[in-house]
Amino acid sequence: IDTEKTFVSSIKNIDTMRLFIKYLYPIESPRESIYSTNQLNMDSLALMQRYFYKFWKDRDPFQPQAAWEHYLTIVELTNKEFKNGLLPGYKSDRGRVYLSYGAPNSRQQEYLPKYFEPFEVWHYYHIESERNLKFIFMNKNRANEYRLVYSDKQGEVTDIDWLHRFEEKYYNDGDKGNLSPWDYFDTPR
């Protein structure tokens, strides 16, 4: 692939190119992920540029640059909203889900629940052929470090132990009229 007269030819800094390739991880196929890792390990700007251009050309044959710029805008917003002290936003669980599936149709947040750890429940009306999907993120340790603990999306994290621990605490402590992650999961708002 000749990238000389394409938008990637303006990316001359290898560290910038490396970062842009890393930004792709939430939307890469497993095969693309292996290929991008190989490109990063080879440490060749020209090979990275070719891979990056092909990646976006495959997604939008007519406007690969526009597709990349749109995605970069979303990555930058994700990095602001979902970053924590350890990870940039695109590497966080919420950032990965947001970049992979888009904005949820509803997002319920409880920062200071009385009986539970802080949590978020994201609801999607549909993702590809699956319908009525939910993601539960819990914050156990650090500010803004929400981990995906449960989802009914095929191929996503489903921590059955978390579900059992949560149900046990929920029923032992009693509902007491407070909304829990499970309430939002059962009935998205």
Side-chain angles (χ1 to χ4, degrees):
I1 296 174
D2 182 18
T3 60
E4 192 168 316
K5 295 181 180 178
T6 68
F7 71 97
V8 297
S9 65
S10 66
I11 306 169
K12 302 284 188 200
N13 184 303
I14 195 165
D15 292 329
T16 301
M17 187 79 260
R18 189 177 286 117
L19 179 63
F20 288 170
I21 290 175
K22 288 178 182 179
Y23 282 169
L24 303 179
Y25 112 88
I27 61 171
E28 289 175 324
S29 70
R31 175 181 242 164
E32 288 169 332
S33 179
I34 292 168
Y35 199 80
S36 69
T37 300
N38 289 339
Q39 297 307 307
L40 293 171
N41 290 336
M42 295 179 100
D43 212 28
S44 164
L45 179 61
L47 290 175
M48 287 186 222
Q49 287 173 324
R50 283 189 207 120
Y51 168 71
F52 194 73
Y53 181 72
K54 182 177 180 338
F55 182 92
W56 290 106
K57 184 84 169 155
D58 288 349
R59 278 160 177 71
D60 189 335
F62 301 108
Q63 296 182 328
Q65 181 176 357
W68 157 241
E69 289 170 354
H70 174 73
Y71 181 71
L72 180 60
T73 300
I74 296 168
V75 169
E76 289 169 348
L77 293 171
T78 301
N79 282 341
K80 281 183 188 173
E81 184 167 356
F82 301 125
K83 72 180 175 187
N84 64 45
L86 301 174
L87 295 172
Y90 80 97
K91 284 188 175 181
S92 70
D93 286 354
R94 291 181 302 166
R96 181 191 60 78
V97 169
Y98 192 94
L99 291 170
S100 296
Y101 308 120
N105 295 101
S106 71
R107 179 178 172 189
Q108 301 300 318
Q109 302 167 303
E110 291 288 340
Y111 296 114
L112 297 170
K114 192 169 184 175
Y115 297 100
F116 309 102
E117 297 161 344
F119 65 89
E120 287 190 18
V121 179
W122 292 11
H123 178 226
Y124 290 85
Y125 298 151
H126 64 86
I127 298 173
E128 297 168 354
S129 64
E130 295 180 77
R131 304 276 184 247
N132 195 29
L133 300 165
K134 294 143 204 143
F135 295 78
I136 297 177
F137 302 90
M138 301 292 286
N139 184 350
K140 193 170 190 170
N141 299 319
R142 293 183 183 87
N144 215 30
E145 186 182 352
Y146 286 79
R147 297 278 184 182
L148 178 61
V149 293
Y150 190 82
S151 177
D152 54 0
K153 166 82 175 90
Q154 202 170 51
E156 285 291 345
V157 169
T158 301
D159 181 355
I160 298 300
D161 289 338
W162 171 83
L163 182 60
H164 293 307
R165 285 190 313 273
F166 172 77
E167 285 178 339
E168 183 178 296
K169 182 176 180 179
Y170 182 66
Y171 291 115
N172 287 345
D173 290 346
D175 184 346
K176 299 182 178 88
N178 296 300
L179 293 176
S180 73
W182 203 249
D183 293 320
Y184 287 114
F185 190 87
D186 280 344
T187 311
R189 287 155 175 79

PDB file of all heavy atoms in Angstrom, residues 58-71:
ATOM      1  N   ASP A  58     -10.129  -0.011   5.160  1.00  0.00           N
ATOM      2  CA  ASP A  58     -11.046  -1.152   5.237  1.00  0.00           C
ATOM      3  C   ASP A  58     -12.382  -0.753   5.858  1.00  0.00           C
ATOM      4  O   ASP A  58     -13.419  -1.305   5.519  1.00  0.00           O
ATOM      5  CB  ASP A  58     -10.430  -2.294   6.053  1.00  0.00           C
ATOM      6  CG  ASP A  58      -9.308  -3.002   5.318  1.00  0.00           C
ATOM      7  OD1 ASP A  58      -9.127  -2.768   4.099  1.00  0.00           O
ATOM      8  OD2 ASP A  58      -8.588  -3.787   5.974  1.00  0.00           O
ATOM      9  N   ARG A  59     -12.359   0.189   6.790  1.00  0.00           N
ATOM     10  CA  ARG A  59     -13.590   0.607   7.451  1.00  0.00           C
ATOM     11  C   ARG A  59     -14.385   1.617   6.632  1.00  0.00           C
ATOM     12  O   ARG A  59     -15.607   1.633   6.686  1.00  0.00           O
ATOM     13  CB  ARG A  59     -13.286   1.173   8.829  1.00  0.00           C
ATOM     14  CG  ARG A  59     -13.143   0.012   9.808  1.00  0.00           C
ATOM     15  CD  ARG A  59     -12.409   0.339  11.047  1.00  0.00           C
ATOM     16  NE  ARG A  59     -12.378  -0.793  11.954  1.00  0.00           N
ATOM     17  CZ  ARG A  59     -11.670  -1.894  11.754  1.00  0.00           C
ATOM     18  NH1 ARG A  59     -10.946  -2.039  10.677  1.00  0.00           N
ATOM     19  NH2 ARG A  59     -11.692  -2.889  12.633  1.00  0.00           N
ATOM     20  N   ASP A  60     -13.689   2.480   5.925  1.00  0.00           N
ATOM     21  CA  ASP A  60     -14.364   3.466   5.079  1.00  0.00           C
ATOM     22  C   ASP A  60     -13.526   3.681   3.821  1.00  0.00           C
ATOM     23  O   ASP A  60     -12.636   4.522   3.805  1.00  0.00           O
ATOM     24  CB  ASP A  60     -14.555   4.782   5.831  1.00  0.00           C
ATOM     25  CG  ASP A  60     -15.453   5.747   5.071  1.00  0.00           C
ATOM     26  OD1 ASP A  60     -15.553   5.653   3.825  1.00  0.00           O
ATOM     27  OD2 ASP A  60     -16.057   6.614   5.729  1.00  0.00           O
ATOM     28  N   PRO A  61     -13.802   2.920   2.778  1.00  0.00           N
ATOM     29  CA  PRO A  61     -12.982   2.998   1.559  1.00  0.00           C
ATOM     30  C   PRO A  61     -12.975   4.375   0.899  1.00  0.00           C
ATOM     31  O   PRO A  61     -12.020   4.727   0.225  1.00  0.00           O
ATOM     32  CB  PRO A  61     -13.622   1.977   0.619  1.00  0.00           C
ATOM     33  CG  PRO A  61     -14.516   1.150   1.446  1.00  0.00           C
ATOM     34  CD  PRO A  61     -14.852   1.926   2.669  1.00  0.00           C
ATOM     35  N   PHE A  62     -14.028   5.166   1.117  1.00  0.00           N
ATOM     36  CA  PHE A  62     -14.136   6.458   0.445  1.00  0.00           C
ATOM     37  C   PHE A  62     -13.578   7.616   1.266  1.00  0.00           C
ATOM     38  O   PHE A  62     -13.102   8.591   0.708  1.00  0.00           O
ATOM     39  CB  PHE A  62     -15.590   6.732   0.058  1.00  0.00           C
ATOM     40  CG  PHE A  62     -16.137   5.675  -0.846  1.00  0.00           C
ATOM     41  CD1 PHE A  62     -17.075   4.767  -0.377  1.00  0.00           C
ATOM     42  CD2 PHE A  62     -15.687   5.553  -2.156  1.00  0.00           C
ATOM     43  CE1 PHE A  62     -17.566   3.776  -1.204  1.00  0.00           C
ATOM     44  CE2 PHE A  62     -16.175   4.561  -2.989  1.00  0.00           C
ATOM     45  CZ  PHE A  62     -17.109   3.666  -2.506  1.00  0.00           C
ATOM     46  N   GLN A  63     -13.663   7.504   2.580  1.00  0.00           N
ATOM     47  CA  GLN A  63     -13.181   8.590   3.439  1.00  0.00           C
ATOM     48  C   GLN A  63     -12.456   8.040   4.669  1.00  0.00           C
ATOM     49  O   GLN A  63     -12.902   8.237   5.811  1.00  0.00           O
ATOM     50  CB  GLN A  63     -14.336   9.474   3.881  1.00  0.00           C
ATOM     51  CG  GLN A  63     -15.012  10.199   2.746  1.00  0.00           C
ATOM     52  CD  GLN A  63     -16.117  11.105   3.251  1.00  0.00           C
ATOM     53  OE1 GLN A  63     -16.769  10.832   4.244  1.00  0.00           O
ATOM     54  NE2 GLN A  63     -16.303  12.204   2.556  1.00  0.00           N
ATOM     55  N   PRO A  64     -11.341   7.369   4.481  1.00  0.00           N
ATOM     56  CA  PRO A  64     -10.640   6.802   5.645  1.00  0.00           C
ATOM     57  C   PRO A  64     -10.151   7.875   6.617  1.00  0.00           C
ATOM     58  O   PRO A  64     -10.183   7.668   7.831  1.00  0.00           O
ATOM     59  CB  PRO A  64      -9.479   6.021   5.035  1.00  0.00           C
ATOM     60  CG  PRO A  64      -9.311   6.568   3.660  1.00  0.00           C
ATOM     61  CD  PRO A  64     -10.650   7.060   3.230  1.00  0.00           C
ATOM     62  N   GLN A  65      -9.745   9.016   6.102  1.00  0.00           N
ATOM     63  CA  GLN A  65      -9.276  10.087   6.983  1.00  0.00           C
ATOM     64  C   GLN A  65     -10.409  10.607   7.858  1.00  0.00           C
ATOM     65  O   GLN A  65     -10.241  10.818   9.061  1.00  0.00           O
ATOM     66  CB  GLN A  65      -8.668  11.233   6.177  1.00  0.00           C
ATOM     67  CG  GLN A  65      -8.139  12.348   7.062  1.00  0.00           C
ATOM     68  CD  GLN A  65      -7.445  13.456   6.281  1.00  0.00           C
ATOM     69  OE1 GLN A  65      -7.307  13.378   5.062  1.00  0.00           O
ATOM     70  NE2 GLN A  65      -7.013  14.483   6.981  1.00  0.00           N
ATOM     71  N   ALA A  66     -11.572  10.797   7.287  1.00  0.00           N
ATOM     72  CA  ALA A  66     -12.722  11.281   8.057  1.00  0.00           C
ATOM     73  C   ALA A  66     -13.116  10.268   9.137  1.00  0.00           C
ATOM     74  O   ALA A  66     -13.459  10.647  10.263  1.00  0.00           O
ATOM     75  CB  ALA A  66     -13.900  11.565   7.131  1.00  0.00           C
ATOM     76  N   ALA A  67     -13.060   8.990   8.780  1.00  0.00           N
ATOM     77  CA  ALA A  67     -13.379   7.943   9.757  1.00  0.00           C
ATOM     78  C   ALA A  67     -12.400   7.990  10.927  1.00  0.00           C
ATOM     79  O   ALA A  67     -12.798   7.902  12.091  1.00  0.00           O
ATOM     80  CB  ALA A  67     -13.357   6.577   9.089  1.00  0.00           C
ATOM     81  N   TRP A  68     -11.109   8.127  10.610  1.00  0.00           N
ATOM     82  CA  TRP A  68     -10.093   8.217  11.658  1.00  0.00           C
ATOM     83  C   TRP A  68     -10.307   9.467  12.513  1.00  0.00           C
ATOM     84  O   TRP A  68     -10.279   9.382  13.739  1.00  0.00           O
ATOM     85  CB  TRP A  68      -8.685   8.215  11.068  1.00  0.00           C
ATOM     86  CG  TRP A  68      -7.655   8.832  11.972  1.00  0.00           C
ATOM     87  CD1 TRP A  68      -6.897   9.923  11.707  1.00  0.00           C
ATOM     88  CD2 TRP A  68      -7.280   8.397  13.290  1.00  0.00           C
ATOM     89  NE1 TRP A  68      -6.074  10.200  12.784  1.00  0.00           N
ATOM     90  CE2 TRP A  68      -6.297   9.277  13.774  1.00  0.00           C
ATOM     91  CE3 TRP A  68      -7.700   7.367  14.118  1.00  0.00           C
ATOM     92  CZ2 TRP A  68      -5.717   9.150  15.031  1.00  0.00           C
ATOM     93  CZ3 TRP A  68      -7.122   7.244  15.384  1.00  0.00           C
ATOM     94  CH2 TRP A  68      -6.146   8.126  15.819  1.00  0.00           C
ATOM     95  N   GLU A  69     -10.540  10.616  11.911  1.00  0.00           N
ATOM     96  CA  GLU A  69     -10.700  11.851  12.670  1.00  0.00           C
ATOM     97  C   GLU A  69     -11.922  11.799  13.583  1.00  0.00           C
ATOM     98  O   GLU A  69     -11.890  12.292  14.709  1.00  0.00           O
ATOM     99  CB  GLU A  69     -10.767  13.044  11.723  1.00  0.00           C
ATOM    100  CG  GLU A  69      -9.424  13.338  11.071  1.00  0.00           C
ATOM    101  CD  GLU A  69      -9.479  14.349   9.938  1.00  0.00           C
ATOM    102  OE1 GLU A  69     -10.602  14.767   9.548  1.00  0.00           O
ATOM    103  OE2 GLU A  69      -8.395  14.721   9.450  1.00  0.00           O
ATOM    104  N   HIS A  70     -12.991  11.183  13.095  1.00  0.00           N
ATOM    105  CA  HIS A  70     -14.188  11.016  13.932  1.00  0.00           C
ATOM    106  C   HIS A  70     -13.869  10.129  15.136  1.00  0.00           C
ATOM    107  O   HIS A  70     -14.224  10.459  16.276  1.00  0.00           O
ATOM    108  CB  HIS A  70     -15.325  10.414  13.098  1.00  0.00           C
ATOM    109  CG  HIS A  70     -16.535  10.088  13.904  1.00  0.00           C
ATOM    110  ND1 HIS A  70     -17.378  11.056  14.401  1.00  0.00           N
ATOM    111  CD2 HIS A  70     -17.031   8.903  14.320  1.00  0.00           C
ATOM    112  CE1 HIS A  70     -18.344  10.479  15.092  1.00  0.00           C
ATOM    113  NE2 HIS A  70     -18.159   9.177  15.059  1.00  0.00           N
ATOM    114  N   TYR A  71     -13.189   9.025  14.880  1.00  0.00           N
ATOM    115  CA  TYR A  71     -12.824   8.114  15.970  1.00  0.00           C
ATOM    116  C   TYR A  71     -11.879   8.804  16.958  1.00  0.00           C
ATOM    117  O   TYR A  71     -12.042   8.665  18.173  1.00  0.00           O
ATOM    118  CB  TYR A  71     -12.181   6.842  15.401  1.00  0.00           C
ATOM    119  CG  TYR A  71     -11.798   5.838  16.467  1.00  0.00           C
ATOM    120  CD1 TYR A  71     -12.774   5.127  17.147  1.00  0.00           C
ATOM    121  CD2 TYR A  71     -10.467   5.613  16.793  1.00  0.00           C
ATOM    122  CE1 TYR A  71     -12.434   4.210  18.128  1.00  0.00           C
ATOM    123  CE2 TYR A  71     -10.109   4.702  17.771  1.00  0.00           C
ATOM    124  CZ  TYR A  71     -11.097   4.004  18.433  1.00  0.00           C
ATOM    125  OH  TYR A  71     -10.753   3.101  19.417  1.00  0.00           O
TER     126      TYR A  71
END
